[in-house]
Amino acid sequence: MASRAGWFRGPSLLLALLLLGTVLGLYKLSRSPLVNQYGVLQDYLESNRPETESLATGTRSILLWSEFFGDPRWSLPGDTLGTQDFRDELKCPVYQCELTNNHDFLPSLDMYDAIVFHVAEPFPFLESVPSRRRPQQTYVFATMESPGETKHQLSNEQNFYNLTMTYRLDSDIVWPYDHFIDKETQAIVAPKRQPNWRKPPISGWNDTQVWNLWPGKTKMVTWFVSHCPTLSKREDLAKALQAYIEVDIYGKCGPLSCKRGDPRCEEMLDTDYKFYLAFENSLCTDYVTEKLFGVLHRNIIPIVFGGVDYARFLPPHSYIDANQFDTVELLAAHLEFVASNVEEYMSYFWWREYYELATFSPFCELCEHLHRPGGRHRMQVYNDIEAWWFNSCRFKTHIQFAASQTRD
Ligand SMILES: *[C@@H]1O[C@H](CO)[C@@H](O)[C@H](O)[C@H]1NC(C)=O
Ligand SMILES: *[C@@H]1O[C@H](CO)[C@@H](O)[C@H](O)[C@H]1NC(C)=O
């Protein structure tokens, strides 16, 4: 009997310990965030549900009210795009939209879900704005140009636009010229307010293309420019730089010319020059133009100048930002240093191993926005669009380069 009892006591002790262990374990589990994985997963699934499920059904319709610098199609593949075009041509993840520049596509103007106005040009003389407006309709303020190029009396357009679609990263629909995507994951890395860039290698980067071009790159800086006096005074900065190093200016604003459309003009960036001036015509938040992205396809280092935090747009150590120098002399000295050292020069091209440029249509994001759950009922309007738009530019620069500036 005793042995039987002992036999019982052993396991019951074990059982009790096990029970205690389980209770403790459960207690711990219930307090640990792990147990909430279920909730996390559910939230995740909810937010990543295939769009067809999570979106309210129905195709949204978008009207392009005006032309885009003479192009009624805004560079899109047709005058009218259906859902298939949104899916197959624009490659939009949310594609249940149709878009047209034909005002008579729907029987009445107040039937469109969104009307997009290009504000870098005046409203058309006839049909300046729709005469009737449905409260659920979204009017979109769209432009790629800087505030200095907005050809509208915005003080007359308060309480008019519901959405902004511009290059500014705080727009409702962000419309940048180009994106950086990670080659490995295909994820969009930039532009973003705080992109998560890889760290550039510390030393010893070798780029075969640049290595092979190096012996021919005997000239310093070049610039192709046709818009001369600017708000940013970039022409003065370029001139100041010429006091220290060779800057060859092609186009309307310089003594040199290269026939427009001749591929040799662009090839010189690869074969002859070490640096390109990617200077913006105005100093406005997030305002970078296609010139910069064009140069990134070439084997040349861009020297940038704008009102931009370039870390939002470009990989670190892929450009030289003039505004990070106190004086033109210091900028020139840095250029001399990079130009005199092939290894230093090549290190500016490290990013090409990891990132590539890609363009996405802003109309994908607009389509998605129009489908956002509750989006149809969530009303918003810019009651002071002028303040929103104009407050993003400035005249002051960090680098000193004008005669009036160097005095203080
Ligand atoms: C870079 O690579 C090339 C071959 O692609 C080689 O000839 C050259 O020596 C390398 N340069 C440096 C600095 O390592
Ligand atoms: C857009 O703004 C107008 C004017 O304030 C307003 O009547 C309308 O309801 C707004 N629409 C949306 C979708 O927010």
Side-chain angles (χ1 to χ4, degrees):
M1 279 306 255
S3 69
R4 253 186 104 183
W7 184 83
F8 262 110
R9 216 174 293 128
S12 61
L13 194 71
L14 207 75
L15 217 72
L17 276 174
L18 236 134
L19 209 73
L20 190 73
T22 315
V23 167
L24 271 174
L26 274 177
Y27 175 75
K28 235 184 112 192
L29 210 64
S30 72
R31 314 214 103 208
S32 88
L34 261 185
V35 125
N36 278 331
Q37 280 308 68
Y38 183 68
V40 172
L41 181 65
Q42 197 170 28
D43 286 350
Y44 178 82
L45 291 179
E46 223 116 80
S47 60
N48 285 281
R49 236 186 305 177
E51 61 279 1
T52 39
E53 255 178 81
S54 71
L55 299 171
T57 50
T59 300
R60 304 288 188 259
S61 52
I62 301 165
L63 175 66
L64 300 177
W65 184 255
S66 38
E67 297 186 341
F68 187 85
F69 293 124
D71 177 8
R73 293 184 177 178
W74 294 48
S75 306
L76 290 164
D79 289 306
T80 297
L81 308 182
T83 51
Q84 267 136 332
D85 301 306
F86 268 81
R87 189 187 57 202
D88 304 334
E89 304 282 331
L90 306 188
K91 311 258 186 269
C92 299
V94 177
Y95 54 82
Q96 290 81 357
C97 283
E98 55 195 8
L99 175 150
T100 185
N101 57 28
N102 172 4
H103 287 210
D104 300 323
F105 181 75
L106 293 181
S108 142
L109 288 174
D110 61 3
M111 291 174 76
Y112 295 97
D113 293 290
I115 300 185
V116 182
F117 301 90
H118 185 220
V119 296
E121 294 174 284
F123 281 140
F125 184 63
L126 301 167
E127 282 196 301
S128 65
V129 292
S131 54
R132 269 192 320 146
R133 179 171 189 175
R134 194 163 45 90
Q136 285 77 20
Q137 262 184 316
T138 294
Y139 281 12
V140 184
F141 174 95
T143 182
M144 293 290 266
E145 304 299 311
S146 69
E149 300 296 319
T150 313
K151 304 280 192 300
H152 277 233
Q153 196 69 45
L154 290 179
S155 52
N156 296 337
E157 291 169 21
Q158 316 290 44
N159 285 303
F160 183 73
Y161 300 105
N162 305 100
L163 286 188
T164 52
M165 185 166 118
T166 82
Y167 57 79
R168 247 168 74 186
L169 300 188
D170 60 347
S171 305
D172 298 296
I173 313 291
V174 181
W175 184 11
Y177 280 103
D178 246 324
H179 296 80
F180 277 92
I181 59 174
D182 191 301
K183 278 188 177 176
E184 205 174 286
T185 63
Q186 295 293 300
I188 295 178
V189 181
K192 280 193 183 156
R193 289 205 213 183
Q194 292 187 309
N196 190 10
W197 297 112
R198 292 165 198 263
K199 287 232 178 340
I202 295 172
S203 67
W205 191 263
N206 193 343
D207 184 298
T208 313
Q209 270 186 67
V210 176
W211 175 264
N212 292 333
L213 290 164
W214 180 256
K217 282 180 170 291
T218 54
K219 300 180 182 172
M220 280 295 273
V221 182
T222 187
W223 192 20
F224 289 72
V225 59
S226 53
H227 175 179
C228 314
T230 58
L231 290 170
S232 70
K233 302 262 184 277
R234 61 183 182 189
E235 57 283 356
D236 294 346
L237 176 55
K239 213 167 149 196
L241 196 57
Q242 281 178 322
Y244 302 94
I245 51 179
E246 174 202 353
V247 180
D248 288 350
I249 302 176
Y250 290 85
K252 261 199 244 154
C253 316
L256 303 170
S257 65
C258 196
K259 225 171 105 215
R260 205 175 251 280
D262 183 346
R264 280 256 328 127
C265 300
E266 281 220 17
E267 276 162 26
M268 286 192 310
L269 305 187
D270 288 332
T271 55
D272 294 17
Y273 289 97
K274 293 196 176 95
F275 304 99
Y276 184 84
L277 298 187
F279 286 4
E280 303 302 340
N281 60 26
S282 23
L283 306 173
C284 303
T285 308
D286 300 331
Y287 181 60
V288 281
T289 42
E290 79 279 14
K291 280 252 182 73
L292 171 61
F293 294 102
V295 166
L296 289 167
H297 290 284
R298 295 276 165 188
N299 299 285
I300 190 163
I301 302 178
I303 305 171
V304 299
F305 174 65
V308 176
D309 173 0
Y310 283 93
R312 290 174 163 191
F313 291 86
L314 305 179
H317 202 70
S318 65
Y319 59 93
I320 293 168
D321 185 354
N323 249 329
Q324 289 185 348
F325 296 85
D326 296 339
T327 64
V328 178
E329 191 176 0
L330 288 170
L331 169 62
H334 184 69
L335 298 179
E336 292 284 7
F337 161 68
V338 176
S340 64
N341 183 330
V342 63
E343 284 176 44
E344 182 62 25
Y345 190 85
M346 286 196 296
S347 70
Y348 280 83
F349 298 87
W350 72 277
W351 61 271
R352 301 203 287 205
E353 181 88 4
Y354 304 102
Y355 302 112
E356 60 195 356
L357 291 157
T359 313
F360 300 98
S361 173
F363 292 103
C364 290
E365 215 182 308
L366 178 58
C367 180
E368 198 173 324
H369 189 99
L370 296 174
H371 277 286
R372 228 162 257 173
R376 269 201 155 166
H377 309 289
R378 199 180 47 214
M379 304 296 192
Q380 72 164 34
V381 68
Y382 283 81
N383 42 43
D384 193 356
I385 191 76
E386 188 173 31
W388 183 83
W389 190 230
F390 286 156
N391 285 350
S392 63
C393 296
R394 58 193 167 78
F395 290 104
K396 256 182 83 80
T397 63
H398 178 77
I399 187 166
Q400 305 285 306
F401 60 89
S404 59
Q405 282 181 310
T406 44
R407 245 174 269 136
D408 57 48

